[in-house]
Amino acid sequence: YWYGYLGQRLAHNYYPVHLWRNREKHELDNEYFHPHQRLPDDADPNDPASYEPYSGKQYSMDLIAEEALGFIRRNKDQPFFLYLPFTIPHLALQVPEESVAEYEGAFPETPYLGDRGYTPHRTPLAAYAAMITRMDREIGRIMDLIAELDLDEDTIVFFTSDNGPTFAGGVDAEFFESAGPLRGLKQDLYEGGIRVPLIARWPGTVAAGTVSDHVATHTGRPSGRTAAARAPVLGVQGGPGCSPGGLEGVPQQRLELYDLSTDIAERTNVAAQHPDVVARIEQIMQNDRTESELFPLVTRS
């Protein structure tokens, strides 16, 4: 069973004209508008009415959450797997006004006019916080339902993200310190772009407060069956990077190397001190990958 968007580009608008339930198009009570546009020059950036064209009646995340709750209820008497990749807090900055009102006046706001892509918003900081809060509330409803159905001790729940904090569309990652002490943001292969939260909850099996330093990824191959026998993690995004053990290599014109055990902010490049590790990473980058006919790697000068 599946419900949602057919593509992430369509998911740049949280008020789409339709979603899909399996092969059935679910028409929504929203008017179409292009999710990438600037506020018109003659519009007042401080007037809430100027932003009404970038909203709608049915918010996609709310609908997806309701589908998830229904799926759990229908399958409560048998083993089930629910993959629920909420699209927020991705872009655009859109959320129902009752959620924005929870943060009205909480931050020093400058209206976002849409000049860095996606749709404008009068209070971008409040909108971003409100989107996360709305997502948290829906996760809470799911957790409450699992408890209500007496499935707590039979259900393991993972919460994670697909990448580090974004930087576009009016989002201010620096203001919220979204990456903490880490260097980089989404699309970077520094830790700020690839290290994300991973929370596991399984009452009676996973003890509260347990912390694991095991390297894990949901973007590629597993990183080894035990923490003591790790295979390198190889990521490719405009160029390959590698994290063997506690060292992370970041490809630039020359390969950079950081000791994450002592330098989580990746401030000191230690490539010159570890030529053997650099050579190993370069070998992995050449050999431990599979060419794709659909998405070939392009060498850029």
Side-chain angles (χ1 to χ4, degrees):
Y1 182 83
W2 181 83
Y3 183 83
Y5 293 91
L6 278 185
Q8 182 58 39
R9 187 170 296 275
L10 297 176
H12 289 173
N13 182 5
Y14 293 104
Y15 295 100
V17 295
H18 67 268
L19 293 170
W20 287 85
R21 182 181 290 110
N22 294 329
R23 296 179 180 272
E24 171 194 351
K25 181 182 284 189
H26 180 199
E27 303 284 353
L28 304 181
D29 189 15
N30 293 325
E31 296 292 329
Y32 173 78
F33 60 87
H34 185 55
H36 295 269
Q37 54 180 298
R38 286 177 49 87
L39 192 72
D41 292 339
D42 59 353
D44 180 357
N46 296 306
D47 184 356
S50 299
Y51 302 87
E52 290 178 359
Y54 316 115
S55 186
K57 297 180 180 179
Q58 290 183 282
Y59 193 58
S60 63
M61 195 215 70
D62 293 354
L63 300 175
I64 291 170
E66 286 296 331
E67 293 284 334
L69 292 168
F71 176 84
I72 293 171
R73 291 188 184 100
R74 291 194 303 274
N75 291 279
K76 62 183 177 61
D77 296 325
Q78 62 183 358
F80 66 84
F81 171 78
L82 170 63
Y83 174 56
L84 183 58
F86 282 130
T87 47
I88 63 175
H90 197 266
L91 299 163
L93 289 175
Q94 297 168 311
V95 67
E97 280 303 309
E98 68 264 23
S99 286
V100 177
E102 296 180 44
Y103 291 96
E104 188 73 33
F107 309 115
E109 300 279 10
T110 299
Y112 173 63
L113 306 183
D115 49 304
R116 288 184 289 150
Y118 303 92
T119 56
H121 203 284
R122 183 176 64 89
T123 55
L125 297 178
Y128 191 65
M131 291 171 76
I132 295 173
T133 296
R134 200 172 184 98
M135 178 188 68
D136 286 349
R137 190 170 295 137
E138 295 301 333
I139 293 172
R141 292 178 66 204
I142 290 169
M143 303 302 292
D144 289 344
L145 179 61
I146 291 172
E148 175 190 325
L149 298 175
D150 198 26
L151 299 176
D152 248 6
E153 294 191 359
D154 295 319
T155 306
I156 184 168
V157 177
F158 293 96
F159 176 83
T160 188
S161 179
D162 59 344
N163 49 244
T166 189
F167 52 84
V171 174
D172 192 338
E174 182 176 354
F175 176 84
F176 286 113
E177 299 182 355
S178 300
L182 305 180
R183 176 180 179 179
L185 299 170
K186 176 182 177 179
Q187 295 186 356
D188 289 327
L189 286 178
Y190 293 107
E191 289 290 280
I194 61 176
R195 180 179 290 217
V196 297
L198 173 59
I199 302 171
R201 179 185 183 273
W202 192 359
T205 302
V206 177
T210 302
V211 177
S212 173
D213 63 356
H214 184 66
V215 177
T217 175
H218 55 89
T219 59
R221 69 183 186 181
S223 59
R225 296 186 178 180
T226 68
R230 293 178 182 154
V233 177
L234 180 65
V236 178
Q237 182 169 316
C242 181
S243 298
L247 294 169
E248 176 181 57
V250 178
Q252 301 291 336
Q253 291 188 356
R254 292 184 179 180
L255 192 139
E256 299 175 10
L257 187 67
Y258 299 92
D259 185 347
L260 300 180
S261 66
T262 60
D263 182 22
I264 193 66
E266 296 172 293
R267 299 186 185 281
T268 304
N269 180 7
V270 296
Q273 292 95 297
H274 299 277
D276 55 330
V277 177
V278 171
R280 181 182 172 216
I281 292 175
E282 290 175 340
Q283 182 181 28
I284 292 170
M285 290 162 65
Q286 289 297 321
N287 301 328
D288 282 29
R289 58 186 174 87
T290 301
E291 295 285 356
S292 169
E293 294 181 2
L294 297 176
F295 301 99
L297 291 175
V298 178
T299 302
R300 297 173 180 171
S301 60

